[in-house]
Amino acid sequence: MKRITRTSTLTVGALIAALALPAGAAHADTTAPRIDLRVLLVSDGGPSTEAIAAELDDAGTPYTEIDLSRSDRPTINAAFLADTVGGRPRAKFQAVVLPNDNPFAAGSAEMAALAAYEQTYAIPQVDAYTYARPEAGLQYPVAGGYSGSLDGVQAQVTAAGKAGPFGYLEGAVPFEDNSPTVPESYAYLSTPAAGADFTPYVDAPIPGTAKRGSLVGEYRHDGRRELVVTFVYNQYQEQFRLLARGIVEWMTGGVHLGASRNYFAVHVDDVFAADDRWDTQLNCTPGDVDCTNDSGTPNPIRMTSADVDYATAWQNSHHFTFDLVFNGSGSVDQREDNNGVDQLADKLVADRNQFRWVNHTYTHAFLGCEQDTTVVPWKCTTNPDGSTKWVSRNTISDEIANNRAWALASGLPLDSSELVTGEHSGLKVLPQQPDDNPNLAPALADNGVTWLASDSSRDPGQRRVGGAMTVPRYPMNVFYNAGHAAEEVDEYNWLYTSRAQGGSGVCEDNPATTTCLPAPLDTSTGYTGYIVPLETRIALGHVLSNDPKPHFIHQSNLSEDRIAYPVLNGVLDGYNALFADNTPVVNLRMKDIGTELQRRAAWQAALNAGQVTAYRIGSTVTIQAPAGVASSATLPTGTRLMGLTFGTPYAGEMSGWTPSIGLPLVLTLPETATKAPAAHAAHPAPATRPAPAVRVPAGVKQTASPTGH
């Protein structure tokens, strides 16, 4: 696995000094047009244009969407596309995205206006999903091409694609095939039309021939440039997620607001403690509050020193760091029960600098309401007046402070601003506790906690809790109470099969959120054959979606059969096979993830409020955001911000956050980025005829997790 490199961050003081220079000096040439850094996205409501919109949203790249189905939409004409500002011609959009090469009626004045606009200002156009035809630079598929499913096919980035917008990929672009009964893709494979200036960037074998057909390629004609995409996709499918970055970089020339990286962090909860084990006979977990038939023999799961050696070696081989989320009382209890011996703690303390450490409270106590566990499900106890009885501020504070004191005494390198409460307790949990414990926020403030973990499955958005911000975490469906694969599968079957098949029926009671398995999994093969591929696909989908939120597992999953590693290997080894060295996984600690989420929210709010101005004039890019809102941008390598290097390298470009004091940021692009590629005058007819209807199989509307688990 590749590790990201970092450069120094531009300080606010340096910005203030730099911004004392007059911004207008960079724009002495009054003839060069101003190109606003905003995308025009024309949508027909199909999955492909919506996928590109989702990519722009995730990155924080502004766009204006025109819905072709709305009768009250604005007309796309010369005035809509361009005007003059301060005597300088202005192009209002740096790129155009259309649902196909021509979504308008025959002889459309709007298509003519777009073509003239693209010619005048060298604006590129993306055809999000179009039929292969001469108007798009390709032969019709009937002329030795192919129309149909690509499920399970491995497409490939061409040499031109790797030298161009898809250079961040290793080469392979696998198409998903998650269900043998559901068609999930549809494509038109074809070769360039006679005389067309067309360069394939991604292609695949044409069945029954020795030829390869284009799936993504650049068509240059009549002073225009089009990125022609001839397969349908949605925002969740891996094939789109792999290519999304390149589509955006192509249409913006690598100069745009917003940024996208591939993040992965793994929190390992309950370290030093022991986790209760699933009982395959009782179908519950003895020791758990909801296991009332608690007649099982306690058989807890706890890591060993050998598990620590394995974790350290695994990290080193993958250039990755676990966040160990720990409960100090687990070690204290172990020593009390074993004449002062705790080999696990001794080993982890000795190897403490191999990991990152996060406070998980001292005893893993439930910190919300006081629980009444005499009923299933449990409920909150109440005071005589009927109000909820809450765990006290002092109790919460002691749990935080005592664990911190134990860590300091043990020599663990701890960041006191981070906290993960047991079961994310203290925060609201439905249906029993619809509100946060009112004593939580004061206790966090008492202990200087500013970043608090939450469960993304029930509290997905970052929010404020007093002076702290939450950091939503994705739960992996690798259960805390399973150390062996067979235990994991047995519990999985209980949760995800119907009553008629011997399961709990939870899945049939909640069809909106959970899908029942068609049949119970084999306990000897179900983990590697079904659960691991599914969990790998879900986690990798998060990684490829510019989503920094961490995933969490438990220390039990690194013990015994070490069942977490097949999933983690699937994510990281799978990623490594797909991406080039210049695009490593970014592995942040919790507070840095929280900061990233907070910056994104402020940036998106400023964009939505129309408070950000950004444009390019020749080799100069100017960005102005409100004071206190850091600006996000992606620019070519060699870009300078008032003489200083901009950003940090990722995927062949520079990107990052720049503090704002409310004044314009003036950036200078390298000479290699100042000239737009020429669009040759190829001879196939321009797209004056509307594109024919294209096939959209029902499968492309599914999410990345069709089972809903």
Side-chain angles (χ1 to χ4, degrees):
M1 189 56 53
K2 307 101 176 181
R3 186 177 293 278
I4 189 168
T5 58
R6 304 194 180 279
T7 59
S8 59
T9 302
L10 193 63
T11 65
V12 174
L15 272 175
I16 293 173
L19 290 172
L21 298 174
H27 303 314
D29 181 2
T30 59
T31 61
R34 162 177 160 170
I35 311 294
D36 282 2
L37 301 189
R38 173 173 287 270
V39 173
L40 174 62
L41 190 144
V42 181
S43 173
D44 62 354
S48 297
T49 50
E50 293 309 300
I52 293 175
E55 172 69 10
L56 298 174
D57 282 330
D58 291 342
T61 303
Y63 63 96
T64 296
E65 183 168 2
I66 302 296
D67 185 347
L68 292 177
S69 68
R70 294 188 54 163
S71 59
D72 60 345
R73 69 173 178 86
T75 299
I76 300 173
N77 55 28
F80 177 81
L81 297 168
D83 61 8
T84 301
V85 175
R88 183 187 300 275
R90 175 178 71 152
K92 298 180 184 180
F93 308 100
Q94 66 180 134
V96 174
V97 177
L98 299 181
N100 51 57
D101 64 284
N102 182 1
F104 302 98
S108 166
E110 290 184 295
M111 191 66 229
L114 280 168
Y117 174 72
E118 293 167 8
Q119 291 166 336
T120 301
Y121 295 101
I123 301 300
Q125 172 183 308
V126 173
D127 305 333
Y129 170 46
T130 197
Y131 185 68
R133 61 184 189 139
E135 289 86 346
L138 293 167
Q139 298 188 69
Y140 292 113
V142 293
Y146 169 78
S147 301
S149 171
L150 289 186
D151 291 6
V153 170
Q154 182 160 287
Q156 193 75 23
V157 178
T158 67
K162 293 193 72 171
F166 301 102
Y168 57 90
L169 292 174
E170 196 69 39
V173 182
F175 274 61
E176 291 185 356
D177 187 13
N178 300 321
S179 171
T181 61
V182 177
E184 300 162 44
S185 64
Y186 198 88
Y188 302 97
L189 291 173
S190 183
T191 54
D197 183 1
F198 191 100
T199 303
Y201 288 148
V202 181
D203 63 16
I206 298 176
T209 76
K211 299 183 294 182
R212 300 183 68 87
S214 179
L215 290 167
V216 182
E218 180 174 331
Y219 176 39
R220 303 185 185 206
H221 65 106
D222 306 296
R224 300 166 60 207
R225 298 169 56 235
E226 295 179 47
L227 191 72
V228 179
V229 183
T230 57
F231 71 97
V232 67
Y233 46 87
N234 68 37
Q235 62 179 295
Y236 304 104
Q237 290 180 306
E238 184 176 293
Q239 56 264 33
F240 170 71
R241 295 258 44 99
L242 291 173
L243 299 174
R245 175 188 299 277
I247 292 172
V248 172
E249 298 314 309
W250 180 89
M251 68 175 161
T252 63
V255 178
H256 63 86
L257 296 181
S260 176
R261 299 192 178 197
N262 298 333
Y263 300 87
F264 192 48
V266 177
H267 291 190
V268 183
D269 287 9
D270 303 349
V271 171
F272 298 118
D275 288 304
D276 296 324
R277 188 185 302 272
W278 173 257
D279 190 305
T280 59
Q281 300 302 313
L282 299 174
N283 288 322
C284 65
T285 306
D288 189 33
V289 295
D290 289 340
C291 191
T292 56
N293 185 19
D294 193 349
S295 59
T297 301
N299 184 17
I301 311 164
R302 190 172 190 257
M303 289 176 68
T304 66
S305 56
D307 295 326
V308 178
D309 285 335
Y310 190 95
T312 301
W314 183 88
Q315 286 188 145
N316 291 337
S317 67
H318 288 81
H319 302 291
F320 190 84
T321 302
F322 286 129
D323 294 88
L324 299 189
V325 186
F326 69 96
N327 308 103
S329 69
S331 177
V332 173
D333 292 343
Q334 179 74 9
R335 293 190 191 281
E336 288 179 353
D337 295 339
N338 293 275
N339 298 316
V341 176
D342 185 0
Q343 294 179 353
L344 171 63
D346 292 343
K347 181 64 175 174
L348 280 170
V349 169
D351 292 351
R352 57 189 175 274
N353 292 325
Q354 298 292 322
F355 308 97
R356 295 190 291 248
W357 296 89
V358 183
N359 190 342
H360 197 28
T361 72
Y362 187 62
T363 70
H364 201 281
F366 189 84
L367 302 179
C369 63
E370 293 190 10
Q371 293 175 296
D372 177 0
T373 60
T374 64
V375 294
V376 178
W378 63 267
K379 64 180 180 180
C380 291
T381 61
T382 56
N383 296 305
D385 63 359
S387 61
T388 300
K389 185 179 289 187
W390 299 103
V391 173
S392 71
R393 174 176 177 175
N394 284 341
T395 298
I396 299 172
S397 187
D398 286 347
E399 282 287 330
I400 299 169
N402 289 342
N403 208 43
R404 181 184 298 167
W406 183 89
L408 292 175
S410 302
L412 297 184
L414 185 66
D415 190 315
S416 296
S417 68
E418 302 172 333
L419 178 69
V420 181
T421 57
E423 302 178 58
H424 303 100
S425 59
L427 296 172
K428 61 185 178 180
V429 52
L430 297 175
Q432 297 101 317
Q433 185 193 310
D435 301 306
D436 295 342
N437 183 343
N439 297 318
L440 177 63
L444 299 178
D446 293 342
N447 291 275
V449 174
T450 53
W451 304 107
L452 176 67
S454 63
D455 186 338
S456 182
S457 66
R458 68 187 193 215
D459 203 358
Q462 187 180 43
R463 63 184 179 91
R464 184 168 293 281
V465 181
M469 295 294 293
T470 62
V471 179
R473 306 189 304 165
Y474 286 117
M476 281 189 165
N477 231 4
V478 182
F479 302 135
Y480 83 95
N481 50 4
H484 297 297
E487 296 166 346
E488 168 81 11
V489 177
D490 185 87
E491 185 175 2
Y492 205 92
N493 284 338
W494 175 251
L495 293 173
Y496 296 120
T497 57
S498 65
R499 293 178 183 88
Q501 293 179 322
S504 64
V506 170
C507 57
E508 55 191 332
D509 293 342
N510 299 275
T513 57
T514 306
T515 303
C516 291
L517 292 168
L521 302 175
D522 186 314
T523 55
S524 62
T525 61
Y527 187 64
T528 56
Y530 182 87
I531 298 174
V532 168
L534 175 61
E535 291 306 307
T536 298
R537 187 167 71 248
I538 292 171
L540 185 58
H542 296 152
V543 174
L544 302 185
S545 299
N546 189 29
D547 189 343
K549 291 194 286 290
H551 295 72
F552 71 95
I553 56 175
H554 294 80
Q555 62 84 31
S556 53
N557 307 140
L558 303 187
S559 185
E560 299 182 349
D561 286 354
R562 299 171 178 159
I563 61 177
Y565 290 107
V567 176
L568 302 181
N569 288 337
V571 174
L572 292 178
D573 295 345
Y575 182 93
N576 196 40
L578 294 170
F579 286 87
D581 289 346
N582 66 359
T583 312
V585 162
V586 182
N587 176 221
L588 300 180
R589 72 172 303 137
M590 182 170 151
K591 71 174 183 180
D592 296 325
I593 294 170
T595 299
E596 175 71 17
L597 293 173
Q598 194 172 32
R599 284 174 170 170
R600 289 188 189 188
W603 174 249
Q604 194 61 54
L607 290 176
N608 293 342
Q611 297 174 327
V612 177
T613 301
Y615 55 88
R616 173 180 178 175
I617 299 176
S619 63
T620 300
V621 171
T622 303
I623 305 172
Q624 184 165 4
V629 176
S631 296
S632 175
T634 299
L635 300 166
T637 299
T639 297
R640 310 287 286 180
L641 175 55
M642 294 301 185
L644 303 174
T645 299
F646 166 79
T648 53
Y650 197 76
E653 295 187 291
M654 305 296 284
S655 57
W657 295 98
T658 303
S660 173
I661 58 172
L663 298 175
L665 301 175
V666 181
L667 303 104
T668 303
L669 302 176
E671 185 175 351
T672 54
T674 59
K675 296 181 180 179
H680 301 173
H683 295 293
T688 55
R689 291 186 297 155
V694 288
R695 172 85 179 271
V696 180
V700 300
K701 297 179 182 178
Q702 293 181 346
T703 68
S705 178
T707 62
H709 294 162

